[in-house]
């Protein structure tokens, strides 16, 4: 599951061995204005084609796959550039929850790719705008408002069992200083699923197959 506003092309660089894995990519659909993240997860699980899957989610997609794992049996949940519970959210998001400051963000400018990339990837992307236009295709203001609101108001109090967390040491959206118990990626930024595909191709198969006791 890709991150906020992104489509599944962010996984194009990920190559898992076909003799071990069958990959199924999910994409965002527009939520109903009354949807909670739980409601949305209930709809999304209908697109999961295999029993007992490994669910992988990036950023806001990491929150969604954790909600999906509360609905269907899973082998494992892997979250990338994300958080496992509300305590790992950065202070600015916790501040936004109580002040509603996120309601003031200019989300109507969703066709401004630079601004959208700032929301989605936490970094300026003025050098590779065409690339990010490809990745960031969900440009609906209502969706962006919904995603940001559900992000800052996520209420999960503790990590789910059998969850693996992969986090970049230079992630500016979800700083690693807030995140215990994760696999650290040296020099990894929030968009590392795109820019560090080689790391994931080398390490993700073993991470998926590794048996965990918790």
């Amino acid at each position: 599951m890709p991150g906020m506003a992104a489509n599944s092309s962010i996984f194009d660089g990920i190559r898992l061995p076909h003799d071990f894995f069958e990959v199924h990519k999910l994409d965002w659909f527009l939520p109903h204005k009354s949807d909670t993240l739980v409601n949305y997860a209930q709809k999304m699980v209908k697109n999961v084609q295999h029993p007992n899957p490994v669910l992988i989610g990036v950023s806001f997609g990491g929150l969604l796959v954790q909600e999906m794992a509360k609905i269907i049996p899973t082998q494992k949940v892997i979250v990338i550039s994300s958080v496992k519970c509300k305590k790992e959210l950065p202070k600015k998001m916790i501040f936004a929850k109580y002040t509603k400051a996120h309601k003031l963000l200019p989300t109507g400018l969703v066709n401004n790719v630079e601004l959208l990339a700032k929301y989605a990837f936490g970094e300026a992307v003025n050098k590779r705008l065409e690339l990010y236009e490809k990745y960031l295709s969900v440009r609906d203001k209502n969706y962006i408002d919904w995603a940001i609101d559900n992000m800052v108001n996520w209420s999960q109090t503790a990590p789910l069992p059998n969850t693996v967390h992969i986090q970049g040491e230079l992630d500016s959206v979800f700083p690693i200083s807030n995140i215990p118990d994760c696999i650290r990626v040296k020099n990894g930024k929030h968009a590392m699923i795109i820019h560090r595909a080689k790391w994931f191709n080398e390490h993700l198969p073993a991470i998926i197959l590794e048996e965990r006791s918790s």
Side-chain angles (χ1 to χ4, degrees), residues 3-88:
M4 186 185 75
N7 59 60
S8 57
S9 68
I10 67 166
F11 300 111
D12 284 354
I14 307 301
R15 301 277 189 268
L16 299 180
H18 295 302
D19 50 345
F20 280 102
F21 306 105
E22 183 176 344
V23 177
H24 182 65
K25 298 176 183 177
L26 299 173
D27 276 296
W28 297 103
F29 53 83
L30 297 183
H32 189 273
K33 62 181 179 181
S34 63
D35 278 342
T36 63
L37 193 59
V38 173
N39 298 146
Y40 193 91
Q42 290 169 339
K43 295 177 182 179
M44 185 60 80
V45 294
K46 296 176 182 177
N47 296 322
V48 177
Q49 299 179 355
H50 305 87
N52 204 31
V54 174
L55 295 179
I56 300 177
V58 174
S59 192
F60 182 52
L63 275 61
L64 179 61
V65 296
Q66 290 174 79
E67 294 299 334
M68 292 166 66
K70 298 172 186 176
I71 301 168
I72 59 172
T74 59
Q75 289 185 49
K76 183 178 293 186
V77 176
I78 299 174
V79 297
I80 299 167
S81 305
S82 190
V83 293
K84 302 184 293 300
C85 60
K86 64 181 184 179
K87 291 184 294 187
E88 296 179 354

Side-chain angles (χ1 to χ4, degrees), residues 4 9 18 23 25 50 63 67 77 82-83 94 114 118 127 130 133 137 141 151 165 168 174 176-177 189 201 207 211:
M4 186 185 75
S9 68
H18 295 302
V23 177
K25 298 176 183 177
H50 305 87
L63 275 61
E67 294 299 334
V77 176
S82 190
V83 293
I94 296 171
E114 289 186 55
K118 186 70 175 174
K127 289 184 178 179
E130 290 183 7
E133 284 179 352
S137 62
K141 171 180 165 44
M151 175 76 79
H165 191 165
F174 299 117
I176 200 167
S177 57
K189 296 184 178 181
N201 289 334
I207 292 170
E211 295 290 336

Side-chain angles (χ1 to χ4, degrees), residues 87-138:
K87 291 184 294 187
E88 296 179 354
L89 289 169
K91 289 180 180 179
K92 62 184 177 183
M93 290 189 187
I94 296 171
F95 177 79
K97 175 181 179 178
Y98 292 105
T99 63
K100 309 298 181 186
H102 60 291
K103 302 283 188 181
L104 303 177
L105 292 171
T107 54
L109 302 176
V110 291
N111 284 317
N112 180 324
V113 178
E114 289 186 55
L115 182 65
L116 189 57
K118 186 70 175 174
Y119 291 163
F121 294 133
E123 56 190 70
V125 296
N126 47 1
K127 289 184 178 179
R128 288 178 280 192
L129 277 182
E130 290 183 7
L131 191 63
Y132 283 89
E133 284 179 352
K134 169 190 171 185
Y135 295 132
L136 298 171
S137 62
V138 189

